[in-house]
DNA sequence: CGCGTACTTGACGCTAGTCAAGAATCGTGG
DNA sequence: CCACGATTCTTGACTAGCGTCAAGTACGCG
């Protein structure tokens, strides 16, 4: 994250690392703690009436977990990747919040950002087909997941979310995600370095296919303070 | 409509009857007139980027045409059935509106109702499959289209909208609508008296299949003041 | 009585989900 | 250091749903 508005929480914070698929905030518990994401991704999920899991949104690095009032009951927050978090007592957080107008402002900003993304998801779910949603997701991912410019000018994108999570986020299946990415590779739009890493050969094509012109430029995402950090071990040797 | 809040407009009103598929309010003209629906149905439509028509909502008997600010540009209002309307000069309407708080209240009520229905449509379009949407539509239609109780206790429903309009409203095709209604007849949920008239044998089954429990009871529709009037010529002889 | 319109029905193809069987990768223990 | 198992991703086969096209059928109107 670098020194952002949350740096002031330093003395109060307790740092934690957790593996993925770890339950953070339960369905209906009022959540005794507040978590700040430093690294990795959290997912907000619930199970639909048909037993199918829906991922309703993500918490990205720099963001603070919060139950929005728009989240219907029955949703919980889990880690979607290995994460590095910062735990704050709910009460302590509320106190700092009351003292620091800058923090309150930043938090409001975040809420707005999450609502914006949620609105886009709802639209995309209704208006786009699965393959288009996947294209849009990859395009937008360059704005909120770690990227690294490659020597040839193209972009390396690190999608560390597991397949089933991406599928449930986009309302499709892991198989379809796999098929579509490989089809995109055949069309020379992307290149699959390994299951989690793609070289984006034509961001434009992704944006076009995903009808994401608008969204790409206007959707609010947290700053990628430590952009590229996920590449330390993986893409460097390329 | 019977004597509702709009009766006071009597002296200003000019009554008109129009055939169906008649353009009432053009895409971007500021609309010099306001129309009150007395009988029949108007449709708000626009053409999507792919050339496919979408019907975004209906104006039902008792309602006043208005461009909601949420209607994106490019939408127009046409008659979906033969209609009986009441035309009012925009200016005259505005003046009466300013004088009559009751009218303003009624209008606000209507806007709320239309927004509610639109929200439901958006949800249904995203969450339900075509056949489920058709079931929900038939169930809800008993709340806003002419119905008549039959001697045996079941309900006769008059759906005077043409097939393509229903299809474009529900985001499906006329063929699918036809197939689904006939399938419902085989399942003894409804009985098709003629293409526009159905006997509802199990409203419950329709509501269940359309996941419309909630919507059926809470969605706001205008009062069916003249319920049954469309049956004068058709169902009476049964 | 014939024509036009609206609805129905059948045939066909595409999309995408599900199931199941491979392939690749990683971590663990011998 | 290698082998084994567990996990994750990929791939193929199959199927349901639904849209489209086209050919029928019914009905009303001149």
């Amino acid at each position: 994250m670098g020194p952002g508005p949350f740096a002031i929480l330093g003395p109060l914070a307790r740092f934690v690392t957790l593996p993925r698929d770890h339950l953070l905030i339960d369905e209906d518990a009022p959540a005794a703690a507040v978590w700040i994401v430093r690294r990795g991704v959290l997912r907000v999920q619930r199970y639909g009436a048909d037993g199918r899991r829906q991922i309703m949104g993500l918490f990205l690095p720099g963001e603070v977990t919060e139950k929005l009032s728009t989240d219907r009951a029955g949703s919980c927050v889990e880690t979607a990747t290995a994460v590095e978090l910062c735990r704050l007592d709910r009460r302590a957080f509320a106190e700092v919040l009351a003292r620091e107008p800058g923090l309150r402002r930043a938090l409001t900003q975040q809420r707005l950002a999450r609502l914006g993304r949620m609105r886009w998801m709802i639209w995309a779910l209704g208006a786009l087909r699965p393959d288009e949603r996947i294209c849009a997701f990859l395009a937008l991912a360059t704005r909120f997941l770690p990227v690294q410019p490659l020597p040839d000018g193209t972009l390396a994108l690190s999608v560390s979310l597991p397949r089933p999570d991406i599928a449930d986020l986009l309302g499709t299946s892991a198989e379809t995600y796999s098929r579509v990415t490989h089809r995109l590779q055949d069309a020379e739009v992307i290149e699959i370095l390994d299951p989690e890493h793609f070289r984006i050969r034509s961001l434009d094509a992704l944006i076009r296919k995903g009808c994401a012109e608008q969204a790409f430029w206007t959707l609010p995402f947290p700053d990628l303070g430590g952009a590229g950090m996920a590449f330390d071990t993986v893409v460097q040797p390329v």
Side-chain angles (χ1 to χ4, degrees), chain A:
Chain A
M1 313 195 306
F6 297 114
I8 45 179
L9 295 172
L12 287 167
R14 289 203 10 214
F15 288 63
V16 212
T17 57
L18 290 171
R20 82 159 192 230
D21 292 328
H22 183 96
L23 179 64
L24 267 185
I25 305 179
D26 203 353
E27 304 212 1
D28 22 39
V34 169
W35 304 90
I36 301 178
V37 184
R38 288 176 46 84
R39 200 172 160 139
V41 179
L42 308 182
R43 58 175 190 245
V44 184
Q45 69 185 24
R46 53 165 236 154
Y47 288 87
D50 52 355
R52 188 185 263 81
R53 183 183 67 162
Q54 324 176 6
I55 293 187
M56 308 163 70
L58 303 175
F59 284 109
L60 303 172
E63 296 191 318
V64 182
T65 62
E66 252 201 316
K67 281 215 169 170
L68 293 184
S69 56
T70 54
D71 297 345
R72 228 176 310 173
S75 64
C76 66
V77 179
E78 298 185 359
T79 60
T81 65
V83 291
E84 194 173 307
L85 301 175
C86 170
R87 185 190 191 285
L88 284 167
D89 184 69
R90 178 163 209 68
R91 206 174 325 228
F93 183 69
E95 277 167 23
V96 185
L97 205 60
R99 270 205 311 281
E100 295 284 345
L103 222 177
R104 267 207 309 283
R105 205 161 46 239
L107 207 60
T108 307
Q109 206 84 331
Q110 283 194 10
R111 262 178 227 155
L112 217 59
R114 292 194 58 220
L115 266 180
R117 288 187 256 149
M118 200 179 281
R119 286 205 335 153
W120 178 82
M121 272 301 312
I122 290 173
W123 170 80
L125 239 32
L128 267 42
R129 290 170 317 168
D131 58 332
E132 297 172 324
R133 295 200 290 269
I134 292 170
C135 288
F137 170 77
L138 289 176
L140 294 177
T142 63
R143 303 259 332 269
F144 66 84
L145 289 181
V147 287
Q148 197 186 46
L150 292 182
D152 64 351
T154 60
L155 217 57
L157 170 69
S158 169
V159 184
S160 48
L161 298 174
R163 290 285 186 280
D165 283 3
I166 302 174
D168 290 345
L169 179 67
L170 299 179
T172 182
S173 65
E175 292 92 331
T176 295
Y177 179 75
S178 186
R179 279 188 248 271
V180 172
T181 50
H182 284 255
R183 211 181 303 152
L184 288 173
Q185 176 164 243
D186 295 344
E188 303 198 332
V189 174
I190 65 174
E191 180 185 337
I192 302 174
L193 304 176
D194 72 60
E196 305 198 337
H197 297 271
F198 304 99
R199 188 161 75 90
I200 309 290
R201 306 182 62 171
S202 168
L203 185 56
D204 264 14
L206 286 180
I207 293 179
R208 258 198 317 277
K209 280 203 170 191
C211 305
E213 295 284 351
Q214 180 93 358
F216 187 81
W217 299 111
T218 66
L219 264 198
F221 294 108
D223 268 344
L224 283 178
M229 56 190 171
F231 286 98
D232 295 348
T233 54
V234 186
V235 175
Q236 283 297 2
V238 169

